[in-house]
Amino acid sequence: MTGTANELIDHNDNTVLNSSNFELFSAWLFGNINANCIINDISHCGCSILVPKYKSVPAETFNLLIMSPDNDKELHTVVSAQPRWSDKKALSTHVKTGVKFLNINADTREQINDLIRHITLSNSKKIKCSLLKK
């Protein structure tokens, strides 16, 4: 059987989607990913993120790669998102951007609920994320 794989996905014991490091590295290498972003606030409908000023926010629909609150090297969930607004004057180092979640299913909603609980209950509200252009 011959062919190529566009996406490599593993399933761990918690059935949380983990994109392979190779896929994320290749996206970063070709300029399709904006790393070092931070989730500022999150709800079931969307979130606000802090994007470093030297990075750009995609104008179209993108995938928001949300890292695990406990381990910022581990992917927690991937959500399709669309930018809604941007505040370039919010911080001197970051642009605050609001995004709307698209096509949320029951599993993704539960993962978002976990993130909301984490932000509400923890002292550290920093959850890293990346923007992956489609």
Side-chain angles (χ1 to χ4, degrees):
M1 196 175 204
T2 61
T4 59
N6 291 334
E7 188 170 336
L8 302 173
I9 297 178
D10 303 310
H11 292 279
N12 66 14
D13 294 337
N14 298 326
T15 66
V16 175
L17 281 177
N18 288 324
S19 292
S20 73
N21 289 337
F22 177 75
E23 177 190 353
L24 295 177
F25 175 73
S26 66
W28 173 81
L29 184 64
F30 293 110
N32 293 328
I33 192 166
N34 292 347
N36 299 325
C37 300
I38 300 169
I39 299 281
N40 185 58
D41 193 15
I42 190 166
S43 72
H44 294 110
C45 300
C47 67
S48 64
I49 54 177
L50 302 176
V51 181
K53 284 200 174 183
Y54 62 89
K55 299 283 187 172
S56 63
V57 177
E60 302 291 324
T61 303
F62 60 91
N63 284 329
L64 180 63
L65 308 173
I66 303 173
M67 306 313 281
S68 170
D70 301 322
N71 180 1
D72 64 8
K73 306 273 188 246
E74 183 180 315
L75 186 63
H76 184 270
T77 191
V78 178
V79 181
S80 181
Q82 178 180 14
R84 303 304 280 170
W85 54 267
S86 201
D87 183 1
K88 295 180 181 181
K89 297 179 182 178
L91 297 167
S92 62
T93 58
H94 289 77
V95 174
K96 188 173 180 179
T97 302
V99 298
K100 175 183 175 183
F101 295 149
L102 305 172
N103 306 322
I104 300 296
N105 60 30
D107 291 336
T108 306
R109 186 173 305 282
E110 186 56 38
Q111 292 170 350
I112 291 170
N113 282 338
D114 290 343
L115 293 171
I116 292 170
R117 280 191 291 273
H118 175 78
I119 287 175
T120 304
L121 298 175
S122 73
N123 292 333
S124 173
K125 295 186 177 191
K126 291 186 179 181
I127 298 176
K128 291 190 176 184
C129 65
S130 298
L131 314 178
L132 179 62
K133 295 178 188 176
K134 288 187 174 185

